[in-house]
């Protein structure tokens, strides 16, 4: 993969953009009024590095914007975007970071916690932080939340560990052929704020359904979007959605490689933890599916530079594997994750300085 030193005097942050977006940035920089959509990827603990940037974007830079802002996410990205819709989003995003870092689950010595335990405990956190405030999340005057979930089909449609094991093998095999083939095993269901539809189509993946996001199903949709197979249990029969078993939104939409170029106007601003936009979680081994396409023509992607990442604990971004890596050393994991969160303030500071200066931005072409 090509790695370039960040232009614009940046050290920690890289900015990539599609052709249309690069043209806009080179002429007049990036302005808050340009932003129409913010995607948020799945990726577990990697999302910690984006929280300081989230806080500045939503609590400061975009606070007084007059345009409708569509916020679409899967898994931890959906959690981040839901919190960013709250009126006290700066404090709420800080709390999200603390909740993620301090998460612990009852388990037997030497074993990982069961999927049912993780679903129960994490579900309680979502209900306490967002479920009881669902009316606030969904009543922001200008922010529109869209939560991506993946609903099982065939063997993955109903509960049962044996059925699910065979179903996931079938899904992986189908995806080796194409994302279109994955549709036989997994349906995308997007729970969307009904006040304004997304400004682009969702015809990149079939089958797809759009259902109404409402206070009665917000916490269930978010839990489903975060339900990593095997680590958590699926969520069944979400209110207002088709019947069945719902899983992590990252299965169909890992990095949200959507048809953004269909928008009539404006840009897509994408805080991300890497320079590529991988369509689905099962596409990770297939490098030919990682490349930018014309669908990303109007996308501006912000991500940490690899040299900056190498300065972090373990010389990498946090990830879900850290739960096994640190094992019984919970304090060590929490210490290092807090250090990553603190260092990530540099990403927010660099971006804030760049856009508030109002200068043209020299973005790298998307990979």
């Amino acid at each position: 993969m090509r790695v370039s030193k960040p232009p614009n005097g940046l050290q920690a942050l890289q900015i990539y953009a599609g052709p249309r977006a690069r043209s806009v940035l080179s002429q007049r920089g990036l302005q808050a009024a340009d932003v129409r959509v913010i995607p948020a990827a799945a990726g577990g603990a990697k999302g910690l590095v984006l929280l300081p940037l989230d806080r500045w974007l939503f609590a400061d830079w975009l606070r007084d914007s007059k345009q409708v802002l569509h916020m679409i996410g899967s898994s931890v990205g959906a959690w981040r975007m839901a919190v960013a819709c709250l009126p006290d989003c700066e404090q709420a995003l800080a709390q999200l970071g603390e909740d993620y870092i301090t998460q612990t689950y009852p388990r037997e010595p030497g074993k990982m916690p069961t999927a049912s335990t993780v679903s129960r405990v994490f579900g309680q956190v979502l209900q306490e932080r967002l479920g009881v405030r669902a009316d606030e999340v969904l009543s922001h005057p200008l922010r529109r939340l869209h939560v991506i979930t993946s609903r099982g089909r065939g063997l993955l449609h109903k509960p049962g560990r044996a059925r699910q094991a065979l179903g996931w093998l079938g899904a992986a095999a189908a995806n080796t052929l194409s994302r279109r083939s994955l549709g036989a095993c997994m349906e995308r269901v997007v729970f969307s704020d009904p006040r304004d539809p997304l400004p682009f189509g969702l015809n990149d993946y079939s089958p797809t359904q759009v259902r109404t996001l409402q206070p009665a199903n917000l916490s269930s949709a978010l839990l489903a979007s975060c339900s990593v197979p095997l680590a958590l249990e699926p969520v069944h029969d979400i209110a207002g959605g088709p019947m069945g078993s719902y899983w992590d939104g990252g299965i169909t939409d890992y990095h949200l490689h959507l048809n953004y170029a269909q928008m009539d106007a404006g840009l897509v601003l994408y805080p991300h933890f890497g320079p590529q936009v991988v369509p689905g979680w099962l596409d990770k081994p297939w490098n030919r599916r990682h490349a930018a396409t014309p669908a990303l023509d109007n996308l501006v992607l912000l991500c940490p530079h690899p040299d900056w990442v190498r300065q972090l604990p373990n010389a990498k971004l946090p990830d879900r594997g850290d739960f096994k890596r640190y094992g019984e050393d919970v304090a060590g994991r929490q210490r290092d994750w807090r250090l990553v969160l603190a260092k990530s303030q540099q990403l927010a500071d660099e971006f804030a300085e760049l856009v508030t200066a109002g200068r043209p931005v020299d973005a790298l072409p998307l990979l």
Side-chain angles (χ1 to χ4, degrees), residues 173-196:
N175 193 69
T176 62
L177 300 176
S178 68
R179 273 175 59 77
R180 182 181 296 273
S181 298
L182 178 62
C185 305
M186 194 62 57
E187 177 182 40
R188 172 201 283 158
V189 181
V190 183
F191 290 88
S192 288
D193 189 315
R195 292 175 292 176
D196 291 282

Side-chain angles (χ1 to χ4, degrees), residues 68-140:
V68 168
L69 182 63
H70 291 276
M71 299 151 66
I72 180 168
S74 64
S75 200
V76 70
W79 185 10
R80 287 168 44 221
M81 294 300 97
V83 170
C85 289
L86 289 169
D88 57 339
C89 62
E90 183 171 16
Q91 293 80 12
L93 285 163
Q95 183 64 61
L96 188 163
E98 185 65 14
D99 287 339
Y100 202 99
I101 289 170
T102 60
Q103 61 180 305
T104 55
Y105 304 95
R107 60 190 177 93
E108 295 182 21
K111 294 184 178 181
M112 296 298 291
T114 64
S116 60
T117 297
V118 178
S119 290
R120 175 177 54 80
V121 174
F122 179 56
Q124 290 172 350
V125 172
L126 287 178
Q127 179 61 23
E128 291 170 4
R129 302 299 187 206
L130 291 164
V132 298
R133 304 185 67 184
D135 287 322
E136 295 177 82
V137 173
L138 298 176
S139 63
H140 192 285

Side-chain angles (χ1 to χ4, degrees), residues 142-259:
L142 291 172
R143 295 178 186 175
R144 307 291 185 258
L145 179 64
H146 310 272
V147 178
I148 299 176
T149 66
S150 303
R151 188 178 76 104
R153 307 182 78 197
L155 291 173
L156 294 172
H157 180 61
K158 294 181 179 180
R161 293 188 65 85
R163 289 172 57 92
Q164 290 173 11
L166 291 173
W168 287 118
L169 287 174
N175 193 69
T176 62
L177 300 176
S178 68
R179 273 175 59 77
R180 182 181 296 273
S181 298
L182 178 62
C185 305
M186 194 62 57
E187 177 182 40
R188 172 201 283 158
V189 181
V190 183
F191 290 88
S192 288
D193 189 315
R195 292 175 292 176
D196 291 282
L198 283 164
F200 53 86
L202 293 171
N203 56 344
D204 61 294
Y205 181 87
S206 180
T208 292
Q209 293 194 50
V210 178
R211 294 300 179 96
T212 299
L213 186 62
Q214 52 191 301
N217 63 19
L218 174 66
S219 57
S220 295
L222 289 171
L223 178 58
S225 190
C226 294
S227 290
V228 178
L230 304 180
L232 287 87
E233 293 185 325
V235 175
H236 302 291
D237 304 335
I238 298 175
M243 303 288 281
S245 300
Y246 291 79
W247 305 85
D248 195 300
I251 299 167
T252 57
D253 294 278
Y254 186 43
H255 293 167
L256 285 72
H257 194 132
L258 305 174
N259 284 329

Side-chain angles (χ1 to χ4, degrees), residues 1-6 10-14 16 273 275 303-317 343 346-347 350:
M1 181 187 298
R2 175 171 53 85
V3 175
S4 302
K5 283 291 183 182
L10 304 175
Q11 296 298 318
L13 185 69
Q14 287 183 305
Y16 293 86
F273 37 77
C303 68
H305 193 280
D307 289 345
W308 179 84
V309 171
R310 283 188 279 271
Q311 299 172 27
L312 300 178
N314 304 308
K316 68 173 187 62
L317 298 176
K343 286 181 173 292
Q346 185 178 357
L347 301 174
E350 288 189 359

Side-chain angles (χ1 to χ4, degrees), residues 8-15 49-57 60-61 90 302-303 308 340-359:
N8 310 296
L10 304 175
Q11 296 298 318
L13 185 69
Q14 287 183 305
I15 303 178
V49 302
L50 303 175
L51 288 176
L53 184 56
D54 285 344
R55 293 173 65 185
W56 186 78
L57 287 174
D60 289 277
W61 193 52
E90 183 171 16
L302 316 175
C303 68
W308 179 84
V340 169
L341 189 59
K343 286 181 173 292
S344 299
Q345 183 62 41
Q346 185 178 357
L347 301 174
D349 292 342
E350 288 189 359
F351 183 70
E353 182 178 358
L354 180 68
V355 297
T356 54
R359 300 189 302 268

